[in-house]
Amino acid sequence: MRSAGLPRSAWADGLPRPPQPLVMGIVNVTPDSFSDGGRWADTDRAVEHGLALLEEGADLLDVGGESTRPGATRPLLTEELDRVVPVIRELVAADAAVSVDTMRHEVAAAALEAGAVMVNDVSGGLADPAVLDVVAGAGAAYVAMHWRAHAQQMQQHAQYADVVVEVRDELAQRVATADRAGVDLDRLVLDPGLGFAKTADHNWSLLQRLPELGELGLPLLVGSSRKSFLGTLLADADGTPRPVDEREDAGVALTTLAAMQGVWGVRVHQVRGSRDALRVLERWSRTPGRVGPR
């Protein structure tokens, strides 16, 4: 039986607005993801993993077929389609709410046709502006992430005078472009793009000042799970970064901090810890005499 999480029906009337942040579970159908590359690279294993995340309490499953780790090479369009569409079909058949993590309009269209409810575009429409037309035509939900370049070049663009102000202003430009394309702004979510053309210090500044991004008046999604800046923070005495699969506790801490700043959602690899943290925070916030975070 599925654990507590938003049912697929919650998306029928638009973007859900749960009282606590939505938990988006990551399903990487890639051979080269930085965190779990190859582990869920075939359809059956990816579907099994997605269903396990639902059991842990995921509200939404984010299915992606292209690694966006620094230096990654883009797959062919046919490869990306073959990776994600069968997985989305099976998860939707199991009554899961699914988003597709893609920068390509062809993949977005196929995923929405297969039953996805959201397009999660790490480029915010910059890599392929036709994505916005697909989303607008389908009336789908859309995540626009802050982005400056593809994976092989992105860290060359990690230069800011004030990262929070510049990310906010560049996201505002993406909102304006999406609006002109006809995307329903009531179904638009923004993502600061931690790790994408950002140094560790940039990531920490963005996490500390999330309410400034909220000044744009749109919900925020934060994806910090397992990222390299956590590995650096938790490095051994000799400077060796903490291994990817040993960063989960730090990720749960960031889920809690992001929730206390009022984000709409968190994108995570392991759902259970984040779901537990949100339950604790919800109970804490309604304790008599305690000022809640929201």
Side-chain angles (χ1 to χ4, degrees), residues 21-285:
L22 173 149
V23 178
M24 175 189 280
I26 299 169
V27 182
N28 286 321
V29 195
T30 58
D32 56 347
S33 169
F34 82 95
S35 64
D36 52 10
R39 190 176 300 180
W40 324 114
D42 69 65
T43 298
D44 290 343
R45 283 191 292 173
V47 171
E48 181 181 3
H49 180 55
L51 295 177
L53 294 179
L54 288 181
E55 290 282 345
E56 292 181 7
D59 299 301
L60 180 68
L61 300 177
D62 193 40
V63 179
E66 175 179 354
S67 173
T68 51
R69 62 176 174 78
T73 300
R74 302 198 73 190
L76 298 173
L77 170 61
T78 53
E79 291 176 321
E80 189 179 353
L81 286 166
D82 289 345
R83 290 172 183 175
V84 303
V85 174
V87 175
I88 291 171
R89 285 199 185 105
E90 292 203 33
L91 290 173
V92 169
D95 202 33
V98 178
S99 63
V100 60
D101 179 359
T102 187
M103 292 182 276
R104 289 175 163 139
H105 77 274
E106 300 95 337
V107 178
L112 293 172
E113 179 66 24
V117 297
M118 170 178 271
V119 175
N120 181 16
D121 179 0
V122 300
S123 81
L126 287 170
D128 182 356
V131 168
L132 299 174
D133 298 324
V134 168
V135 170
Y142 183 65
V143 178
M145 196 191 80
H146 178 265
W147 184 88
R148 285 184 165 181
H150 284 291
Q152 291 184 313
Q153 299 87 31
M154 66 180 177
Q155 291 311 111
Q156 300 170 23
H157 297 266
Q159 300 179 21
Y160 305 86
D162 184 322
V163 65
V164 178
V165 171
E166 291 177 52
V167 167
R168 183 186 62 199
D169 291 348
E170 290 172 31
L171 283 173
Q173 295 172 14
R174 305 318 310 146
V175 173
T177 301
D179 189 26
R180 288 194 296 271
V183 174
D184 184 350
L185 297 189
D186 288 336
R187 300 189 181 211
L188 179 60
V189 176
L190 302 179
D191 182 337
L194 301 178
F196 288 79
K198 316 284 192 310
T199 65
D201 285 344
H202 293 148
N203 294 334
W204 289 115
S205 293
L206 287 162
L207 286 165
Q208 185 181 40
R209 296 165 59 189
L210 286 171
E212 293 181 47
L213 302 180
E215 292 172 2
L216 294 173
L218 291 169
L220 296 177
L221 175 70
V222 171
S224 58
S225 181
R226 297 183 178 175
K227 291 195 172 179
S228 61
F229 75 102
L230 293 177
T232 301
L233 175 72
L234 304 172
D236 293 340
D238 65 0
T240 302
R242 179 76 61 83
V244 169
D245 58 358
E246 295 179 19
R247 303 172 188 172
E248 286 299 330
D249 292 342
V252 170
L254 285 182
T255 288
T256 305
L257 293 171
M260 294 181 74
Q261 295 184 82
V263 302
W264 173 82
V266 290
R267 184 177 182 271
V268 301
H269 290 86
Q270 292 186 9
V271 167
R272 189 174 190 176
S274 288
R275 176 60 67 195
D276 287 350
L278 294 176
R279 291 178 67 182
V280 169
L281 187 57
E282 189 279 329
R283 181 63 185 86
W284 175 86
S285 68

